[in-house]
Amino acid sequence: MSRLSEKNCTACRADSPLLSEADVHTALLQLPDWEIEDVGGINQLMRVYRFKNFVSALVFTQAVGELAEEYGHHPALLTEWGKVKVSWWTHKIHGVHENDVIMAAKTEQLFLTRFAT
Amino acid sequence: MSRLSEKNCTACRADSPLLSEADVHTALLQLPDWEIEDVGGINQLMRVYRFKNFVSALVFTQAVGELAEEYGHHPALLTEWGKVKVSWWTHKIHGVHENDVIMAAKTEQLFLTRFAT
């Protein structure tokens, strides 16, 4: 996962390829707490992070938001009391691109270094 | 709506009443941009706010989060590029309490005073 989290997003066009099923399988081996969620027919790479209260969840949302802005690729962040659901996918190709796997790995790295207790 | 937004949340117990259909109707007259969304059988009071980019959406999420913390009642905040979906409901009673209407009005006030262009 350390390698994945060190990669950078590439420019993504409408004709860029979705990850194959095999690629997704390989990615999930490196991101064991993540899963693929089908949202209205669009595959998204998703993890729910747990926190001790609302404020801690909100701080994490802010941090993931800053990470997203830094790399110019943006997730959906569902913030509730004690949890944040992070979903990465690529709008242009209606599914999961390698960039999403990279951003999930960077999210994981952020959580482990600054938020895991 | 100004009156609603000036009210305070009351302590809510598991046997506190859900708002009646008539009460919800009256509330929505005062909150015309909000609607009731059925999420897995639980009614939630919901509005999607639009923004010019991801950062503006994230700043609004942070502001609503601070409002929620101030009043000790917490929504679900779904932050994406250019939009934030705010959902208020009361976990204890599995639906919409008067507190949720008050918090929706306070959210609206916050948006109008600090974020509306």
PDB file of all heavy atoms in Angstrom, chain B residues 88-100:
ATOM      1  N   TRP B  88     -31.318  16.207   8.243  1.00  0.00           N
ATOM      2  CA  TRP B  88     -31.600  16.250   9.687  1.00  0.00           C
ATOM      3  C   TRP B  88     -32.684  15.247  10.034  1.00  0.00           C
ATOM      4  O   TRP B  88     -33.745  15.218   9.393  1.00  0.00           O
ATOM      5  CB  TRP B  88     -32.100  17.643  10.092  1.00  0.00           C
ATOM      6  CG  TRP B  88     -31.073  18.721  10.027  1.00  0.00           C
ATOM      7  CD1 TRP B  88     -30.934  19.659   9.041  1.00  0.00           C
ATOM      8  CD2 TRP B  88     -30.052  19.018  10.990  1.00  0.00           C
ATOM      9  NE1 TRP B  88     -29.896  20.513   9.336  1.00  0.00           N
ATOM     10  CE2 TRP B  88     -29.327  20.133  10.520  1.00  0.00           C
ATOM     11  CE3 TRP B  88     -29.671  18.425  12.208  1.00  0.00           C
ATOM     12  CZ2 TRP B  88     -28.258  20.683  11.213  1.00  0.00           C
ATOM     13  CZ3 TRP B  88     -28.606  18.980  12.898  1.00  0.00           C
ATOM     14  CH2 TRP B  88     -27.905  20.086  12.416  1.00  0.00           C
ATOM     15  N   TRP B  89     -32.432  14.429  11.029  1.00  0.00           N
ATOM     16  CA  TRP B  89     -33.459  13.568  11.616  1.00  0.00           C
ATOM     17  C   TRP B  89     -32.987  13.194  13.005  1.00  0.00           C
ATOM     18  O   TRP B  89     -31.857  13.520  13.394  1.00  0.00           O
ATOM     19  CB  TRP B  89     -33.726  12.330  10.753  1.00  0.00           C
ATOM     20  CG  TRP B  89     -32.722  11.221  10.854  1.00  0.00           C
ATOM     21  CD1 TRP B  89     -32.856  10.059  11.543  1.00  0.00           C
ATOM     22  CD2 TRP B  89     -31.418  11.160  10.230  1.00  0.00           C
ATOM     23  NE1 TRP B  89     -31.714   9.280  11.384  1.00  0.00           N
ATOM     24  CE2 TRP B  89     -30.823   9.935  10.599  1.00  0.00           C
ATOM     25  CE3 TRP B  89     -30.691  12.041   9.407  1.00  0.00           C
ATOM     26  CZ2 TRP B  89     -29.542   9.562  10.174  1.00  0.00           C
ATOM     27  CZ3 TRP B  89     -29.411  11.678   8.993  1.00  0.00           C
ATOM     28  CH2 TRP B  89     -28.862  10.463   9.371  1.00  0.00           C
ATOM     29  N   THR B  90     -33.842  12.531  13.759  1.00  0.00           N
ATOM     30  CA  THR B  90     -33.510  12.224  15.144  1.00  0.00           C
ATOM     31  C   THR B  90     -33.424  10.710  15.309  1.00  0.00           C
ATOM     32  O   THR B  90     -34.430  10.015  15.180  1.00  0.00           O
ATOM     33  CB  THR B  90     -34.567  12.854  16.085  1.00  0.00           C
ATOM     34  OG1 THR B  90     -34.528  14.275  15.881  1.00  0.00           O
ATOM     35  CG2 THR B  90     -34.258  12.544  17.537  1.00  0.00           C
ATOM     36  N   HIS B  91     -32.198  10.242  15.522  1.00  0.00           N
ATOM     37  CA  HIS B  91     -31.942   8.798  15.600  1.00  0.00           C
ATOM     38  C   HIS B  91     -32.862   8.110  16.609  1.00  0.00           C
ATOM     39  O   HIS B  91     -33.420   7.056  16.338  1.00  0.00           O
ATOM     40  CB  HIS B  91     -30.485   8.544  15.988  1.00  0.00           C
ATOM     41  CG  HIS B  91     -29.508   8.855  14.902  1.00  0.00           C
ATOM     42  ND1 HIS B  91     -29.217  10.152  14.525  1.00  0.00           N
ATOM     43  CD2 HIS B  91     -28.781   8.057  14.094  1.00  0.00           C
ATOM     44  CE1 HIS B  91     -28.328  10.120  13.539  1.00  0.00           C
ATOM     45  NE2 HIS B  91     -28.039   8.864  13.253  1.00  0.00           N
ATOM     46  N   LYS B  92     -32.988   8.743  17.796  1.00  0.00           N
ATOM     47  CA  LYS B  92     -33.731   8.111  18.894  1.00  0.00           C
ATOM     48  C   LYS B  92     -35.164   7.772  18.518  1.00  0.00           C
ATOM     49  O   LYS B  92     -35.738   6.831  19.053  1.00  0.00           O
ATOM     50  CB  LYS B  92     -33.770   9.061  20.101  1.00  0.00           C
ATOM     51  CG  LYS B  92     -32.593   8.938  21.024  1.00  0.00           C
ATOM     52  CD  LYS B  92     -32.837   9.793  22.267  1.00  0.00           C
ATOM     53  CE  LYS B  92     -31.571   9.919  23.095  1.00  0.00           C
ATOM     54  NZ  LYS B  92     -31.670  10.986  24.095  1.00  0.00           N
ATOM     55  N   ILE B  93     -35.781   8.609  17.662  1.00  0.00           N
ATOM     56  CA  ILE B  93     -37.196   8.381  17.346  1.00  0.00           C
ATOM     57  C   ILE B  93     -37.379   7.977  15.879  1.00  0.00           C
ATOM     58  O   ILE B  93     -38.502   7.933  15.377  1.00  0.00           O
ATOM     59  CB  ILE B  93     -38.062   9.616  17.695  1.00  0.00           C
ATOM     60  CG1 ILE B  93     -37.615  10.865  16.891  1.00  0.00           C
ATOM     61  CG2 ILE B  93     -37.981   9.912  19.194  1.00  0.00           C
ATOM     62  CD1 ILE B  93     -38.558  12.054  17.052  1.00  0.00           C
ATOM     63  N   HIS B  94     -36.250   7.725  15.191  1.00  0.00           N
ATOM     64  CA  HIS B  94     -36.299   7.217  13.808  1.00  0.00           C
ATOM     65  C   HIS B  94     -37.123   8.108  12.884  1.00  0.00           C
ATOM     66  O   HIS B  94     -37.932   7.610  12.089  1.00  0.00           O
ATOM     67  CB  HIS B  94     -36.847   5.781  13.785  1.00  0.00           C
ATOM     68  CG  HIS B  94     -36.158   4.873  14.748  1.00  0.00           C
ATOM     69  ND1 HIS B  94     -34.848   4.473  14.587  1.00  0.00           N
ATOM     70  CD2 HIS B  94     -36.575   4.320  15.917  1.00  0.00           C
ATOM     71  CE1 HIS B  94     -34.492   3.694  15.600  1.00  0.00           C
ATOM     72  NE2 HIS B  94     -35.512   3.594  16.425  1.00  0.00           N
ATOM     73  N   GLY B  95     -36.945   9.400  13.014  1.00  0.00           N
ATOM     74  CA  GLY B  95     -37.678  10.285  12.111  1.00  0.00           C
ATOM     75  C   GLY B  95     -37.476  11.742  12.476  1.00  0.00           C
ATOM     76  O   GLY B  95     -36.497  12.087  13.152  1.00  0.00           O
ATOM     77  N   VAL B  96     -38.390  12.578  12.036  1.00  0.00           N
ATOM     78  CA  VAL B  96     -38.232  14.031  12.178  1.00  0.00           C
ATOM     79  C   VAL B  96     -38.926  14.536  13.448  1.00  0.00           C
ATOM     80  O   VAL B  96     -40.121  14.344  13.647  1.00  0.00           O
ATOM     81  CB  VAL B  96     -38.792  14.742  10.922  1.00  0.00           C
ATOM     82  CG1 VAL B  96     -38.727  16.252  11.099  1.00  0.00           C
ATOM     83  CG2 VAL B  96     -38.007  14.319   9.685  1.00  0.00           C
ATOM     84  N   HIS B  97     -38.142  15.191  14.288  1.00  0.00           N
ATOM     85  CA  HIS B  97     -38.596  15.823  15.528  1.00  0.00           C
ATOM     86  C   HIS B  97     -38.599  17.331  15.282  1.00  0.00           C
ATOM     87  O   HIS B  97     -37.966  17.810  14.337  1.00  0.00           O
ATOM     88  CB  HIS B  97     -37.589  15.441  16.634  1.00  0.00           C
ATOM     89  CG  HIS B  97     -37.934  15.945  18.004  1.00  0.00           C
ATOM     90  ND1 HIS B  97     -37.537  17.184  18.459  1.00  0.00           N
ATOM     91  CD2 HIS B  97     -38.630  15.375  19.019  1.00  0.00           C
ATOM     92  CE1 HIS B  97     -37.967  17.344  19.709  1.00  0.00           C
ATOM     93  NE2 HIS B  97     -38.640  16.265  20.066  1.00  0.00           N
ATOM     94  N   GLU B  98     -39.252  18.065  16.156  1.00  0.00           N
ATOM     95  CA  GLU B  98     -39.249  19.529  16.004  1.00  0.00           C
ATOM     96  C   GLU B  98     -37.809  20.060  15.982  1.00  0.00           C
ATOM     97  O   GLU B  98     -37.514  21.036  15.296  1.00  0.00           O
ATOM     98  CB  GLU B  98     -40.048  20.201  17.123  1.00  0.00           C
ATOM     99  CG  GLU B  98     -40.310  21.674  16.813  1.00  0.00           C
ATOM    100  CD  GLU B  98     -40.738  22.500  18.010  1.00  0.00           C
ATOM    101  OE1 GLU B  98     -40.687  21.989  19.146  1.00  0.00           O
ATOM    102  OE2 GLU B  98     -41.115  23.667  17.807  1.00  0.00           O
ATOM    103  N   ASN B  99     -36.917  19.428  16.754  1.00  0.00           N
ATOM    104  CA  ASN B  99     -35.507  19.859  16.761  1.00  0.00           C
ATOM    105  C   ASN B  99     -34.909  19.882  15.351  1.00  0.00           C
ATOM    106  O   ASN B  99     -34.068  20.723  15.037  1.00  0.00           O
ATOM    107  CB  ASN B  99     -34.656  18.900  17.615  1.00  0.00           C
ATOM    108  CG  ASN B  99     -34.931  19.039  19.103  1.00  0.00           C
ATOM    109  OD1 ASN B  99     -35.577  19.993  19.528  1.00  0.00           O
ATOM    110  ND2 ASN B  99     -34.462  18.074  19.887  1.00  0.00           N
ATOM    111  N   ASP B 100     -35.316  18.938  14.515  1.00  0.00           N
ATOM    112  CA  ASP B 100     -34.761  18.857  13.158  1.00  0.00           C
ATOM    113  C   ASP B 100     -35.222  20.024  12.300  1.00  0.00           C
ATOM    114  O   ASP B 100     -34.457  20.548  11.487  1.00  0.00           O
ATOM    115  CB  ASP B 100     -35.150  17.514  12.523  1.00  0.00           C
ATOM    116  CG  ASP B 100     -34.609  16.356  13.342  1.00  0.00           C
ATOM    117  OD1 ASP B 100     -33.377  16.308  13.524  1.00  0.00           O
ATOM    118  OD2 ASP B 100     -35.403  15.553  13.848  1.00  0.00           O
TER     119      ASP B 100
END
